[in-house]
Amino acid sequence: MKFLHTSDWHLGRAFHRVNMLGAQAEFVGHLITTVRERDVDAVVVSGDVYDRAVPPLAAVELFDDALHRLADLGVPTVMISGNHDSARRLGVGAGLIGRAGIHLRTEPSACGTPVVLRDDFGDVAFYGLPYLEPALVKDEFGVDRPGHEAVLAAAMERVRADLATRAPGTRSVVLAHAFVTGGEASDSERDITVGGVAAVPAGVFDGVDYAALGHLHGCQTITERVRYSGSPLAYSFSEADHRKSMWLVDLDAEGAVTAERVDCPAPRALARIRGTLEELLADPGLARHEEAWIEATLTDPMRPADPMARLAERFPHTLSLVFDPERAPDDPGVSYAQRLAGRSDQEIAQDFVAHVRGAGPDEHERGVLRDAFDAVRADEAVREVAR
C-alpha cells in the first residue's frame, strides 16, 4: 500500500500579509500530479486543512477543488480535523462525500472505526483521530483529569481494540494531530499546552504500523513508524531552513515501512538576516538573498531613519523588520517583548506573582494558574466551534 502523508495545509493563511492562496493552489496541483505520476494508492491529510474555524470563501473553494480532483483520480483520501479547523464545519456532508472516496474523520467518537482499504496483500485499516481538545472530549473517553496523553491513550485503546477484531495480518495506519515528544516546534503553530504539558510520548502509538502526524510544521521522523509530514508551505520565518515536503510511504505485506520525501514547490525562498542597517546594505555575501522574502533584524544602537525603505532598495521583498540593539539583558532599554520572548503564559503569570509579592507561587497556586489557563483555552475552543 503506497500512500501520501501530508498535513497542515492551513488554507486561507497569509504570510506577513502576503496572500498565499496562489501558492496553496500550486501545492494542490503538485499533490494531484504526485498522486497520478507516483501511482499513489491513498492520500492522508493529518489535520489543519484550514487556518481558522471560519475560513474565507476562497479557501473553501480551493478545498472543494482539491476534493473534486482527488475524487476524479479515484484515489481514496482520509482527512482529520486539526486544532485550527472547526471539526463540525469540516465534517459537514462527510457521509455523502465519503461515497466519492473522500473520508472525513472529525468525530472523536469514531476513533475506533477505520476506513479499510485493500491491496494485493490484504486490508489496511486507516484510523482517523481528529484533534482531541482534552477539556472537550474527557467525557467521551472517560478521562478524570483531562490531558493530551490521557485522551490520546484512550483513543488509541479503541484503535487497538478494533484492530484486534480484524483478520490476522491487517495492517494499520493512524492519523493524529498532536505534539509528540521529540518533535521540534515552529513559531507558526498554535500553542496546545494543557496542564502545563503539550507533548505526548511516541509510545502512545505503539501497536500500529504507521502514525501519520500533523500539527508541527517541520517534516520530522520521531521513529521509523511515527512521522510528521510538516506543512507544505512556510508560514513563519522560523521555518526558513525547512525543506517542505510530503512523505510517500510504502507498507509492504508485513507492515514494514519505507518512506521517501517528496519536495513541495516553494513560492519564494525565505531568509533571516541580521546586522546594522549599513552592514546589511553593503555585505556582498547577502546577494544570494536579494530575491527572497526577508526578515531583517537591525542591531543598530539607535533606530536608523527610514530603515524599511532603505532595505527595500536592495531587498525588495522585505516583509519583517525587527529591532534588536545589542545590549546586556539587564539593560533598561531591553524591550518588554524581548524579556518575554520564549516564555509561556504560565511562566509569565508566575513571574508576575513573584514581582508583586516578592515570592513566587507555591505548588497549589501554580496548579490554580494552570487550571485557569486551561479553562480559558477550552472556552476559546468552544466559542470557535460555535461561531
Side-chain angles (χ1 to χ4, degrees):
M1 176 71 68
K2 187 188 296 183
F3 62 90
L4 201 58
H5 167 200
T6 180
S7 72
D8 295 273
W9 293 3
H10 288 278
L11 300 181
R13 186 166 188 158
F15 181 75
H16 288 269
R17 298 178 301 281
V18 174
N19 189 318
M20 296 292 283
L21 202 65
Q24 291 169 339
E26 186 177 357
F27 160 69
V28 169
H30 170 70
L31 172 74
I32 299 300
T33 299
T34 302
V35 170
R36 184 174 57 247
E37 294 183 351
R38 301 297 298 271
D39 296 321
V40 172
D41 298 309
V43 174
V44 300
V45 185
S46 298
D48 283 353
V49 174
Y50 292 121
D51 188 56
R52 56 182 186 265
V54 185
L57 179 58
V60 177
E61 290 173 339
L62 178 56
F63 180 58
D64 181 65
D65 177 64
L67 295 187
H68 277 85
R69 294 169 75 178
L70 286 166
D72 288 345
L73 289 176
V75 175
T77 300
V78 185
M79 296 183 172
I80 61 172
S81 49
N83 62 301
H84 279 250
D85 299 309
S86 165
R88 293 179 63 185
R89 284 188 172 85
L90 188 64
V92 168
L96 184 60
I97 295 171
R99 298 180 189 177
I102 309 295
H103 306 280
L104 299 174
R105 291 294 185 263
T106 62
E107 290 292 336
S109 60
C111 285
T113 304
V115 176
V116 180
L117 305 179
R118 190 171 183 82
D119 65 7
D120 293 339
F121 305 111
D123 290 344
V124 181
F126 288 80
Y127 296 89
L129 279 56
Y131 172 67
L132 303 173
E133 176 62 48
L136 302 184
V137 301
K138 61 183 178 65
D139 293 337
E140 169 65 33
F141 292 106
V143 174
D144 293 331
R145 184 168 180 83
H148 288 296
E149 183 175 355
V151 296
L152 264 177
M156 283 301 301
E157 284 301 316
R158 295 188 184 184
V159 168
R160 284 186 279 267
D162 179 84
L163 195 55
T165 68
R166 300 194 174 273
T170 298
R171 290 154 292 160
S172 55
V173 176
V174 165
L175 289 71
H177 198 85
F179 190 166
V180 173
T181 303
E184 184 176 343
S186 305
D187 292 344
S188 54
E189 297 132 4
R190 183 181 294 171
D191 179 33
I192 59 171
T193 300
V194 172
V197 178
V200 300
V204 165
F205 301 103
D206 287 350
V208 297
D209 293 308
Y210 186 82
L213 301 181
H215 179 58
L216 299 185
H217 288 183
C219 182
Q220 302 170 60
T221 300
I222 306 300
T223 72
E224 286 303 303
R225 296 184 181 275
V226 180
R227 298 172 187 258
Y228 284 98
S229 66
S231 60
L233 297 168
Y235 292 115
S236 75
F237 277 102
S238 67
E239 301 168 52
D241 295 329
H242 286 190
R243 174 187 163 195
K244 294 301 184 181
S245 58
M246 304 175 283
W247 286 113
L248 183 59
V249 181
D250 202 342
L251 281 184
D252 71 9
E254 305 301 320
V257 172
T258 303
E260 173 192 347
R261 290 181 72 175
V262 178
D263 290 333
C264 296
R268 191 178 295 276
L270 273 63
R272 297 174 117 171
I273 59 178
R274 180 185 179 90
T276 67
L277 179 59
E278 295 305 327
E279 288 170 346
L280 298 183
L281 294 177
D283 186 353
L286 299 179
R288 66 186 187 279
H289 298 314
E290 289 178 352
E291 294 304 316
W293 278 326
I294 294 290
E295 179 185 74
T297 299
L298 299 184
T299 60
D300 302 76
M302 301 290 290
R303 294 198 181 201
D306 300 322
M308 182 64 87
R310 294 175 64 189
L311 278 170
E313 291 178 2
R314 183 179 187 191
F315 306 103
H317 305 290
T318 301
L319 299 181
S320 176
L321 189 57
V322 179
F323 293 96
D324 186 22
E326 294 181 348
R327 294 170 170 154
D330 58 352
D331 189 309
V334 175
S335 74
Y336 180 71
Q338 288 171 302
R339 294 197 300 272
L340 298 185
R343 300 183 66 74
S344 68
D345 291 341
Q346 176 87 16
E347 291 170 329
I348 293 168
Q350 290 175 183
D351 287 350
F352 176 76
V353 172
H355 172 74
V356 169
R357 73 180 187 191
D362 59 26
E363 183 58 36
H364 171 71
E365 291 168 331
R366 288 196 293 272
V368 170
L369 287 171
R370 279 196 300 271
D371 290 344
F373 283 119
D374 291 349
V376 170
R377 287 189 60 261
D379 183 65
E380 288 176 346
V382 170
R383 289 173 182 272
E384 196 164 76
V385 169
R387 284 194 326 192

